Amino acid sequence: MAVQTLFNSLPASIPVASLVVLFLAIHYYSWYRYKKVETKRKTPDHLAKSKGDRLGSRHISSKQAGKYQMTMGLRKSTLEDWLYVDDNYTKEHEVKRALMESRRDKIIRCLPGSKGACEETLELVVGFLLSKYPERFNYSTNTIRGGCVRIVDTGETFRLSKDTSSDGFPSLETASRLAMEDFNILTKSSEGQHILQASATCFPVGWSVEERIGWPIQKLHGKVPLWQHKLHHPVEHFLSRIPRAMIMERSTYFVQVTQSHEGIADILCQLQPLEYKAKPTNPEQILIRRERQVFRRLMRSKAVLFTVKTSIEPLTQVSMTELRSFVREAQGWPDDVARYRGRDCWAECVSRYYDTMMANGDEDTISDTTSEE
């Protein structure tokens, strides 16, 4: 329609041949613009981003250098938005299954006394998934085996029986296998500190459940710069006062450098600190790893359930708006924050990629391709 309008507005004296040339030039430019963006944004299958990946995840906001502030960044959420199932479900479900077999002791632990909270968690997960995603999950009853949940996409069936062990191991494992999120249960000690009582964390960043199970919140964040001074008391205060009917969430992100030999399981399950990776030689090795973290109070056990939905996005797929904000934010990190986030490892490569994109005038094309999300 736009091309037809253009032709109708031209003087009648212009030769037909000239009009044909003009039409071909417009057509070629449109094709070139499309191919340029398509080529630049090609992503390996195991890093393909689903349409729902950014839902609830942290967009990198525009911050000026030197203005870094550490805050909890909490916002209210709703029960309807507690968990998400996106296009990467089957792929990540298979990764979780493999990790449960190969790294089980490192990613899932439940301390004695966590059984009730783990069973309650499984009940909530099953009820939520059956209600929100009935096309993906089916429920059936059997007089001998009890209730079962079937994952439609994989055909797997999980029995929903009462946990017979002294802890909540089977219950929390089943919840983790059914959902895309990682699950952490925090209970308050007699000293007033919240303790990691149970965890099924298949996609950690620089830590393992095997090491940190039973740790108080203060120790869990011991290596995070400024956390003890800025957030320790506000976090404990918040966890102690989460209302039963309220869900709160926050988002954060990390920069992750990948190596050619790493598969999707190695990328998602990061047991070693990210800043110890070798320096990247090209921007395709760099991922933006986003976490959507949700907090809610369990009604019966009164424990705090802390879930984490992880999504990964290649740096080359990030919109120019976010890329610019990310570069500015990283420049404003204090030295200790920069060391913790591994800036010395990837900063040169990111800066070089950013300068190249700016020099090529690609801001509009990158922003256009992500605006629909």
Side-chain angles (χ1 to χ4, degrees):
M1 181 62 71
V3 174
Q4 182 64 47
T5 302
L6 176 61
F7 273 99
N8 291 338
S9 65
L10 292 173
S13 58
I14 296 181
V16 175
S18 299
L19 295 178
V20 172
V21 171
L22 178 60
F23 172 78
L24 292 175
I26 294 174
H27 178 73
Y28 176 77
Y29 174 77
S30 299
W31 173 86
Y32 172 77
R33 178 184 174 91
Y34 169 78
K35 293 301 290 182
K36 183 179 181 183
V37 173
E38 181 184 53
T39 301
K40 184 175 299 177
R41 298 179 65 80
K42 185 176 181 181
T43 307
D45 290 341
H46 68 280
L47 295 181
K49 181 181 55 163
S50 76
K51 294 180 180 178
D53 269 354
R54 289 196 175 191
L55 189 58
S57 62
R58 183 187 192 279
H59 289 264
I60 305 172
S61 60
S62 179
K63 296 182 179 181
Q64 298 298 323
K67 299 292 183 179
Y68 177 82
Q69 292 183 341
M70 189 175 196
T71 63
M72 292 176 65
L74 289 166
R75 56 187 180 272
K76 288 185 179 180
S77 187
T78 63
L79 288 172
E80 293 76 15
D81 293 329
W82 178 37
L83 307 176
Y84 284 117
V85 174
D86 58 36
D87 297 341
N88 289 325
Y89 178 83
T90 303
K91 177 174 55 183
E92 291 191 12
H93 174 79
E94 176 60 25
V95 172
K96 279 192 172 186
R97 184 197 63 76
L99 290 171
M100 290 288 187
E101 294 178 359
S102 63
R103 310 179 191 180
R104 186 185 187 89
D105 291 342
K106 297 184 181 297
I107 61 177
I108 179 169
R109 289 293 180 94
C110 302
L111 295 179
S114 63
K115 176 182 177 180
C118 291
E119 291 179 347
E120 188 176 357
T121 296
L122 178 58
E123 292 175 15
L124 290 174
V125 170
V126 170
F128 183 91
L129 295 178
L130 290 173
S131 175
K132 186 168 184 177
Y133 301 103
E135 74 284 359
R136 288 180 175 269
F137 302 92
N138 297 154
Y139 178 79
S140 62
T141 58
N142 185 296
T143 56
I144 298 177
R145 299 185 62 197
C148 297
V149 173
R150 178 176 177 269
I151 302 176
V152 175
D153 292 345
T154 66
E156 294 173 276
T157 299
F158 294 87
R159 182 182 177 186
L160 305 177
S161 60
K162 285 292 184 179
D163 198 341
T164 58
S165 61
S166 60
D167 55 31
F169 211 127
S171 297
L172 200 63
E173 178 182 350
T174 301
S176 179
R177 287 177 181 263
L178 288 172
M180 296 189 74
E181 282 77 3
D182 287 330
F183 293 88
N184 302 278
I185 293 175
L186 306 172
T187 58
K188 196 170 185 178
S189 68
S190 57
E191 290 78 20
Q193 292 183 315
H194 281 84
I195 307 296
L196 183 62
Q197 188 77 5
S199 180
T201 300
C202 294
F203 305 150
V205 184
W207 64 282
S208 71
V209 176
E210 179 184 38
E211 175 191 12
R212 299 193 181 186
I213 190 68
W215 283 15
I217 283 289
Q218 181 178 7
K219 188 176 180 181
L220 287 170
H221 294 85
K223 294 182 179 180
V224 181
L226 305 179
W227 195 91
Q228 302 295 336
H229 176 63
K230 295 284 187 180
L231 295 183
H232 174 212
H233 294 296
V235 168
E236 288 285 6
H237 180 84
F238 161 71
L239 293 175
S240 298
R241 289 164 176 76
I242 300 177
R244 294 186 179 185
M246 182 180 293
I247 289 184
M248 300 294 291
E249 70 172 91
R250 67 182 298 272
S251 299
T252 188
Y253 75 93
F254 304 90
V255 180
Q256 184 170 345
V257 178
T258 62
Q259 305 300 321
S260 59
H261 65 274
E262 289 182 309
I264 185 63
D266 294 320
I267 291 173
L268 286 170
C269 186
Q270 281 286 322
L271 299 173
Q272 301 300 320
L274 297 178
E275 64 266 31
Y276 295 158
K277 291 291 187 80
K279 288 188 176 182
T281 57
N282 65 74
E284 295 179 354
Q285 294 178 256
I286 301 176
L287 303 177
I288 301 299
R289 182 183 181 119
R290 305 172 194 259
E291 289 187 355
R292 177 179 182 257
Q293 304 172 353
V294 181
F295 303 83
R296 66 179 297 180
R297 177 80 60 191
L298 295 177
M299 299 289 283
R300 295 199 305 267
S301 64
K302 299 182 181 180
V304 173
L305 178 58
F306 168 40
T307 63
V308 181
K309 171 72 167 63
T310 299
S311 62
I312 52 178
E313 182 179 15
L315 178 70
T316 54
Q317 301 294 300
V318 174
S319 72
M320 195 62 187
T321 300
E322 281 198 294
L323 179 61
R324 183 192 300 109
S325 297
F326 164 54
V327 170
R328 291 178 178 176
E329 182 175 327
Q331 289 173 345
W333 289 341
D335 290 342
D336 51 354
V337 174
R339 283 192 298 271
Y340 175 74
R341 289 182 169 268
R343 188 178 65 185
D344 288 346
C345 174
W346 45 259
E348 182 180 352
C349 187
V350 169
S351 179
R352 188 167 57 246
Y353 170 70
Y354 175 70
D355 292 342
T356 300
M357 300 301 290
M358 292 295 290
N360 289 344
D362 289 332
E363 178 173 355
D364 291 336
T365 57
I366 295 180
S367 296
D368 288 346
T369 55
T370 58
S371 60
E372 62 184 33
E373 299 176 351

